[in-house]
Amino acid sequence: MKYLMAIDAGTGSVRAVIFDTEGNQIAVAQQEWTHIEEEGVPNSMSFDTEKNWELTTWCIQNALQEASLTGEDILAVSATSMREGIVLYDKEGKELWAVANVDARASEEVKHLKENFAGIEEEFYALSGQTFALGALPRILWLKNHKPELYNQVASISMIGDWVLAKLSGVIATDPSNGGTTGIFSLKERDWVADMATKVGLKDNIFPSVLEVGTVMGTVTDTSSGLSTQTKVVMGGGDVQLGAAGLGVTKAGEVAILGGSFWQQVVNIDSEVEPPKDMDIRVNPHVVTGLSQAEGITFFSGLVMRWFRDAFCDMEKLEAKERGLDVYTVLEERAKEVPVGSYGIMPIFSDSMKYGKWYHASPSFLNLSIDPMVCNRASMFRSLQENACIVSAINLKKIEAFTNIKVEAIVFAGGASRGALWSQILADVTGCRVKIPKVTEATALGAAMSAGIGAGVYDSMVEASGNLVEWEKEYLPNLLNFEKYNTIQKKWEEVYENQLTLVDRGLTESMWKAPGL
């Protein structure tokens, strides 16, 4: 039997996952990574290509070892990654500079663009579905302004998943789903709009070929990775869009929530649908030709939960180790005993999506009690679970408003979907059926599907998705809880607005602020 490999370069970690051609996960190797603020550059988030490639090759080698396979057993490899993160290369294809997804160093550059090019953000958003908040143009302009010697050497750009494939094959290219998140792109044409760079005084000759997901780029040239020169290297895509395909969400009107480091709420729409005028929601090309995805984002949901676990839950970690369980399983056991609303505790972390003017309040918990029977790790943990679902529900309502798509069922995947309590809370908060696939790590499965298309195993993403995705469980909403959560949601939105005024007054610091605000 032959196998497919997916490399998933996420915000918090990189993984190599091996699947058989029937979609069964065979082995996985993972390493957490961190993106460090560059010294003297506030709000930066650098991506260390040298160190992170070492972590990536470790994952490839250890996944092969775990599966008792060699590189020759892998028919094809593809990659997916956090979107928005970019890598710039010189004319020899060597990395010059790279940043991760929420790098926000380019605040002055965004201000410059808005002040000197009236209406340009709105013009570019109408074409690309992206604002300057996470876009590539302000970051490249920052490089030109602050490191001109590097900027002058730039000959090509790619996304981080593309960088993985370039390291393996020597070919620099991108796909619409990932490249589209640069904002230098057309939703309808699924290609670069180099004129955007020209208009703001940047190079317009650095944009590589755009290949649709599943296109063979070549074969592996870097055998130090552990893969064979016979292994095909196949174009992958953005983590959310490939994750949606790995969930069977490949047709117009279908909905998914991916619960990872960030939470993404996506609704498939026709590529002819124009982005909303208020710019609250982003719109990205899907991995399926002819479709885009309206997308809401909840910032740092998974990372906040990881912080809470590591900062406060040493006792639960010890218990989990003794019982042979995941620590989140132990925390959910405790949280099941906490009533809806978590005794009124209000987490203040991510706001709902306001893509055109996006910033967050200072991270905090409000409405705490000094009664340890009421306010404790279990109730605070549950409040974080509820809050992620509440923000997701708000974002879905915003998408419904401009697409006229009524959300009735949600496919839920990613690490968060492994929590039975979290899945039920999502159903109760949204009032929707929540479907859990057997393979909850859908992003890697989507990347494996793209590898399989390149290897000739599958004809298309739609066919692969239809054949491989199976369902594990379905959660139905408790309508009494739904009404309670509606009340909590309204109160939370009002409280959050008041917390933002503290940031506006300079009394607290925003958890994250888009460049230029």
Side-chain angles (χ1 to χ4, degrees):
M1 179 178 281
K2 293 292 186 178
Y3 300 88
L4 304 168
M5 178 176 283
I7 299 171
D8 181 2
T11 302
S13 66
V14 59
R15 303 181 303 147
V17 190
I18 298 173
F19 293 86
D20 66 21
T21 55
E22 296 177 354
N24 300 304
Q25 184 172 308
I26 304 301
V28 60
Q30 179 169 337
Q31 286 279 357
E32 290 188 355
W33 56 19
T34 55
H35 314 298
I36 307 300
E37 183 171 286
E38 189 175 329
E39 187 174 352
V41 185
N43 303 312
S44 59
M45 184 182 272
S46 297
F47 184 82
D48 186 336
T49 54
E50 183 176 354
K51 180 178 180 181
N52 291 339
W53 181 242
E54 291 176 1
L55 295 175
T56 304
T57 56
W58 183 94
C59 290
I60 293 171
Q61 293 161 3
N62 279 267
L64 289 169
Q65 183 177 345
E66 180 187 328
S68 299
L69 299 174
T70 67
E72 286 75 16
D73 294 313
I74 306 299
L75 276 175
V77 59
S78 190
T80 183
S81 70
M82 61 176 120
R83 295 136 338 137
E84 302 96 29
I86 59 172
V87 181
L88 301 179
Y89 309 82
D90 65 17
K91 63 182 179 180
E92 306 298 327
K94 179 175 174 56
E95 305 96 321
L96 289 168
W97 186 76
V99 296
N101 49 2
V102 292
D103 178 275
R105 72 181 70 209
S107 191
E108 291 304 314
E109 284 69 26
V110 171
K111 289 179 182 177
H112 169 80
L113 292 172
K114 290 184 176 183
E115 291 170 0
N116 293 276
F117 299 88
I120 197 167
E121 186 172 32
E122 291 79 5
E123 175 191 341
F124 288 1
Y125 174 79
L127 282 172
S128 69
Q130 314 293 315
T131 69
F132 290 147
L134 299 173
L137 286 174
R139 293 165 176 173
I140 300 172
L141 188 58
W142 182 94
L143 188 68
K144 181 181 180 181
N145 291 342
H146 293 84
K147 298 187 177 184
E149 72 286 352
L150 280 183
Y151 174 79
N152 290 335
Q153 297 177 60
V154 174
S156 192
I157 182 174
S158 86
M159 315 308 285
I160 287 172
D162 306 327
W163 163 76
V164 171
L165 299 177
K167 294 290 286 186
L168 291 171
S169 69
V171 177
I172 299 172
T174 195
D175 91 295
S177 68
N178 213 344
T181 65
T182 62
I184 318 171
F185 223 82
S186 166
L187 281 168
K188 293 181 181 179
E189 301 299 325
R190 297 174 70 84
D191 204 352
W192 299 107
V193 184
D195 184 53
M196 290 181 177
T198 308
K199 284 184 178 181
V200 299
L202 293 173
K203 295 180 180 184
D204 59 6
N205 62 347
I206 65 172
F207 303 110
S209 299
V210 177
L211 306 175
E212 289 290 347
V213 172
T215 303
V216 177
M217 302 170 65
T219 56
V220 169
T221 56
D222 181 2
T223 55
S224 67
S225 65
L227 294 173
S228 162
T229 55
Q230 301 304 307
T231 300
K232 292 180 179 179
V233 180
V234 181
M235 177 51 68
D239 54 2
V240 171
Q241 295 96 314
L242 276 177
L247 297 173
V249 180
T250 57
K251 298 173 184 174
E254 293 179 330
V255 180
I257 293 177
L258 282 82
S261 298
F262 291 60
W263 276 32
Q264 290 93 4
Q265 306 84 33
V266 294
V267 180
N268 288 350
I269 61 176
D270 190 277
S271 60
E272 297 293 318
V273 175
E274 295 183 357
K277 300 297 183 186
D278 61 12
M279 300 200 305
D280 256 10
I281 293 293
R282 77 187 307 193
V283 184
N284 310 301
H286 197 3
V287 292
V288 179
T289 305
L291 290 182
S292 295
Q293 286 190 326
E295 178 184 351
I297 301 176
T298 308
F299 256 56
F300 299 145
S301 294
L303 295 179
V304 166
M305 197 63 89
R306 190 166 82 182
W307 158 76
F308 182 81
R309 176 200 70 188
D310 292 343
F312 301 110
C313 300
D314 287 345
M315 296 294 291
E316 286 77 11
K317 284 183 176 181
L318 289 172
E319 180 179 341
K321 186 176 181 179
E322 290 174 2
R323 296 171 61 191
L325 298 174
D326 186 280
V327 63
Y328 293 119
T329 301
V330 174
L331 285 163
E332 280 211 338
E333 287 177 354
R334 306 274 198 280
K336 282 179 184 176
E337 305 305 316
V338 177
V340 168
S342 303
Y343 299 112
I345 297 172
M346 286 197 174
I348 303 297
F349 292 93
S350 178
D351 196 2
S352 63
M353 195 165 183
K354 295 167 183 168
Y355 198 32
K357 188 180 179 182
W358 205 6
Y359 68 109
H360 303 289
S362 180
S364 55
F365 286 95
L366 300 182
N367 228 23
L368 299 181
S369 166
I370 61 171
D371 181 350
M373 300 303 293
V374 168
C375 182
N376 49 46
R377 291 188 296 276
S379 56
M380 294 174 76
F381 176 81
R382 182 180 176 117
S383 76
L384 288 174
Q385 290 190 313
E386 291 177 331
N387 188 247
C389 298
I390 285 169
V391 179
S392 296
I394 296 169
N395 286 340
L396 286 176
K397 289 296 182 186
K398 291 183 179 185
I399 294 171
E400 285 184 349
F402 86 93
T403 63
N404 294 317
I405 293 172
K406 175 63 177 173
V407 178
E408 296 179 347
I410 297 167
V411 179
F412 187 34
S417 69
R418 292 196 293 265
L421 177 60
W422 216 341
S423 300
Q424 185 62 56
I425 289 172
L426 181 62
D428 292 351
V429 168
T430 60
C432 298
R433 290 185 295 116
V434 170
K435 298 166 64 180
I436 310 295
K438 283 188 176 179
V439 176
T440 57
E441 297 299 342
T443 302
L445 178 60
M449 289 176 184
S450 63
I453 293 168
V457 177
Y458 319 120
D459 290 335
S460 68
M461 294 301 293
V462 175
E463 184 225 23
S465 181
N467 288 342
L468 299 184
V469 176
E470 298 180 7
W471 304 106
E472 183 75 41
K473 194 167 184 181
E474 182 172 284
Y475 293 85
L476 300 177
N478 179 315
L479 296 183
L480 289 177
N481 290 346
F482 175 62
E483 294 300 325
K484 292 177 183 178
Y485 281 124
N486 274 336
T487 301
I488 293 167
Q489 176 184 311
K490 292 182 177 72
K491 185 183 291 186
W492 179 86
E493 289 183 275
E494 187 173 346
V495 169
Y496 201 99
E497 287 298 319
N498 278 275
Q499 289 294 302
L500 286 174
T501 65
L502 297 179
V503 175
D504 297 338
R505 293 166 59 192
L507 298 175
T508 58
E509 292 187 11
S510 172
M511 181 178 73
W512 183 85
K513 185 179 292 188
L517 295 181

